Amino acid sequence: MRISVIGAGYVGLVAAACLAKLGHAITLVDIDEAKLKQIAGGISPIHEPGLDEILSQVSVETTSDYERIGGSDLILICVGTPCNQDGAMSLEYIEKAARQVSRVLRLKANYCVVAVRSTVVPGTTEELVIPILEQSGKKVGRDFGVCMEPEFLQEGKAVYNYMNPSRIIIGQLDERSGDVLAELYKHVKAPVIRTSIRTAEMIKLASNAFLGARISLINEIGNMCKALGIDTYEVAKGVGLDDRIGSKFLNSGIGFGGSCLPKDLRALIARSRQIGYEPEILERVLKLNDGQALRMVELLKTHVSLKGATIGILGLAFKPGTDDVRDCGAIKIVEALLDGGAAVRAYDPAAMDNFRKLFPQIGYAGPDEVLESDAVLIVTEWEEFEHLDYTGKIVIDGRRVSKAREARIYEGVCW
Ligand code: NAD
């Protein structure tokens, strides 16, 4: 199939590389020339296991010129949908990408399908994207098809997730549109659900609402366990054996971050308020999460006075396996440490360059030097942190790194 992917970020680049590996002819469009140049050179601009290897094996046409996508059978829109100040989803990039695709449709002779793969609030594809695409003078359902296919990849495992998805959700305008995506995924063993466009949009946001709620709930249990002297991980093990609950995603710690969960929950809350419904549970989920990372700093203060101290941070990325620091817990922690008068020295195997753009004023060093600090906070559970020497140190652990228990003073955030 001739497929164009709009947006070369975590979602678009992984899709482009994997689809090329599966034998499709791919044109990858982005407005960021530097990023395109890197990809054209076979180097991934993001840290994602397996991606460099695929990029070195396949041929992906990269361009910032939308005219080059005129021959596509399928156009996947994968641009970012960040949060506005008020929490509502910003649809600015989706709108711009749809306008550029619309210009391409105007001149297009053959039928093609435009699929929104960005996460969007329910109603976006039908109320914003389709009207813009129809400004081409072409008629939806007759001259071109539309789908909304949410992406469920997890950063750090994105290539694996793309090749082995948990499910494929095809929100389709009509059967003809959906058939194009169904054909694309015919080799995939996962369940395929064909549904309405709005339902697909909601499945993505509802999935993230459940994940966020689960994390905040186990963190609330963890905060209670800490105060009661109970090991919350043993509690989670016992709870997770109930097959209605399950054992995954029950690790209490410093809460969720990253480019998706926080902003998607905010967007769903904002959309809900627009329709006059106050989403009370989701608001509490976010509120608890907002305070969770800072509990580490409160625990630290019971052992060390911040003013004049040097505090080490192990892990900056919002989770292991990625260099993504968007909305990560380390941001709040470092801000609080600097506000308290501490100096900060940090290490992360992949995310230091991205974090340095946000905090050029702190120190960056290798893990051994970070461990020389007056106290150390473990913020991301990179596997290599299990192999450090913590003897004699003061460690506040947000991620349950077993080896860190050898520290002279050890405190877990929820245990
Ligand atoms: P990203 O910020 O990493 O990448 C977006 C890319 O789109 C950037 O390279 C940007 O330059 C490009 N872009 C912006 N406007 C453009 C335009 N008009 N034409 C061409 N390119 C344009 O974003 P991401 O993390 O890949 O996320 C993309 C979408 O997928 C978001 O809606 C996000 O919520 C969703 N999503 C992300 C993940 C994830 O783990 N990152 C998982 C599931 C869903």
Side-chain angles (χ1 to χ4, degrees):
M1 219 182 272
R2 289 166 303 175
I3 303 172
S4 296
V5 179
I6 314 295
Y10 288 83
V11 170
L13 179 56
V14 170
C18 292
L19 288 169
K21 192 170 166 70
L22 292 170
H24 300 284
I26 306 297
T27 304
L28 179 60
V29 185
D30 205 289
I31 48 175
D32 184 336
E33 297 281 357
K35 200 180 255 192
L36 291 175
K37 204 169 158 196
Q38 225 179 320
I39 298 165
I43 298 167
S44 166
I46 54 171
H47 175 90
E48 202 51 69
L51 192 52
D52 275 325
E53 195 188 331
I54 298 183
L55 285 175
S56 69
Q57 295 164 351
V58 298
S59 153
V60 170
E61 183 191 5
T62 54
T63 182
S64 56
D65 179 2
Y66 273 79
E67 282 184 18
R68 302 268 283 279
I69 70 170
S72 316
D73 305 306
L74 175 63
I75 299 173
L76 306 174
I77 299 184
C78 305
V79 298
T81 48
C83 253
N84 284 325
Q85 288 288 20
D86 62 357
M89 190 172 268
S90 164
L91 299 171
E92 182 194 342
Y93 301 119
I94 286 277
E95 195 175 329
K96 283 191 183 141
R99 284 194 196 292
Q100 279 154 314
V101 171
S102 179
R103 280 184 212 115
V104 174
L105 288 181
R106 188 187 299 268
L107 305 170
K108 209 164 158 36
N110 67 317
Y111 175 88
C112 81
V113 168
V114 180
V116 174
R117 304 234 44 214
S118 304
T119 303
V120 292
V121 286
T124 306
T125 306
E126 286 165 337
E127 291 159 24
L128 179 78
V129 176
I130 292 178
I132 292 175
L133 296 179
E134 283 200 311
Q135 285 170 12
S136 61
K138 298 286 168 69
K139 179 98 188 87
V140 72
R142 184 191 67 196
D143 305 317
F144 67 95
V146 170
C147 286
M148 194 283 149
E149 191 219 333
E151 174 61 69
F152 298 100
L153 66 78
Q154 301 163 45
E155 286 180 22
K157 296 183 192 162
V159 170
Y160 177 81
N161 292 154
Y162 196 88
M163 294 302 201
N164 305 277
S166 54
R167 71 283 210 198
I168 301 286
I169 307 292
I170 301 177
Q172 58 188 34
L173 172 89
D174 51 19
E175 284 293 311
R176 192 181 176 197
S177 306
D179 284 349
V180 173
L181 280 183
E183 170 67 21
L184 183 67
Y185 297 118
K186 67 175 185 223
H187 66 283
V188 169
K189 292 200 178 69
V192 176
I193 293 183
R194 293 177 69 161
T195 183
S196 74
I197 286 177
R198 266 166 203 262
T199 308
E201 290 168 333
M202 193 59 172
I203 286 173
K204 172 66 192 177
L205 289 175
S207 300
N208 279 354
F210 265 90
L211 293 174
R214 194 168 164 97
I215 295 174
S216 278
L217 182 56
I218 196 65
N219 283 341
E220 186 150 272
I221 302 282
N223 295 342
M224 288 183 229
C225 285
K226 172 90 182 165
L228 292 166
I230 298 168
D231 184 342
T232 174
Y233 274 62
E234 277 188 40
V235 172
K237 198 170 165 191
V239 170
L241 287 170
D242 184 328
D243 62 10
R244 294 168 303 174
I245 298 172
S247 59
K248 289 186 180 158
F249 245 57
L250 285 183
N251 294 341
S252 50
I254 67 159
F256 55 84
S259 67
C260 290
L261 282 189
K263 68 112 178 149
D264 288 351
L265 263 63
R266 280 185 210 119
L268 189 54
I269 290 171
R271 181 76 180 119
S272 181
R273 287 194 183 131
Q274 272 175 7
I275 53 168
Y277 180 79
E278 201 59 30
E280 291 176 37
I281 294 180
L282 292 184
E283 281 167 15
R284 301 303 301 176
V285 165
L286 269 188
K287 190 163 188 300
L288 194 131
N289 192 62
D290 282 346
Q292 194 66 16
L294 293 175
R295 290 177 68 86
M296 287 187 84
V297 180
E298 292 311 308
L299 280 172
L300 174 69
K301 286 201 270 187
T302 63
H303 298 285
V304 178
S305 158
L306 291 188
K307 203 159 180 56
T310 298
I311 306 301
I313 305 275
L314 287 174
L316 299 167
F318 83 95
K319 66 174 180 180
T322 182
D323 58 352
D324 199 341
V325 297
R326 290 178 282 187
D327 246 328
C328 66
I331 294 176
K332 290 178 210 156
I333 290 170
V334 169
E335 274 168 358
L337 294 174
L338 295 176
D339 282 352
V344 176
R345 192 186 284 159
Y347 168 72
D348 187 286
M352 287 200 284
D353 286 347
N354 284 339
F355 206 78
R356 195 180 273 117
K357 290 177 200 151
L358 306 175
F359 291 95
Q361 72 274 43
I362 67 167
Y364 295 89
D368 293 337
E369 210 183 315
V370 167
L371 279 168
E372 293 304 313
S373 310
D374 296 312
V376 173
L377 308 185
I378 303 178
V379 177
T380 316
E381 66 275 37
W382 286 97
E383 210 276 327
E384 65 178 68
F385 297 162
E386 281 290 359
H387 308 287
L388 299 177
D389 181 5
Y390 296 93
T391 31
K393 314 293 177 197
I394 300 176
V395 175
I396 312 295
D397 185 3
R399 300 297 189 180
R400 191 85 169 187
V401 171
S402 313
K403 185 85 185 317
R405 287 171 184 272
E406 292 170 2
R408 179 169 60 85
I409 296 176
Y410 174 85
E411 287 251 24
V413 69
C414 295
W415 54 93

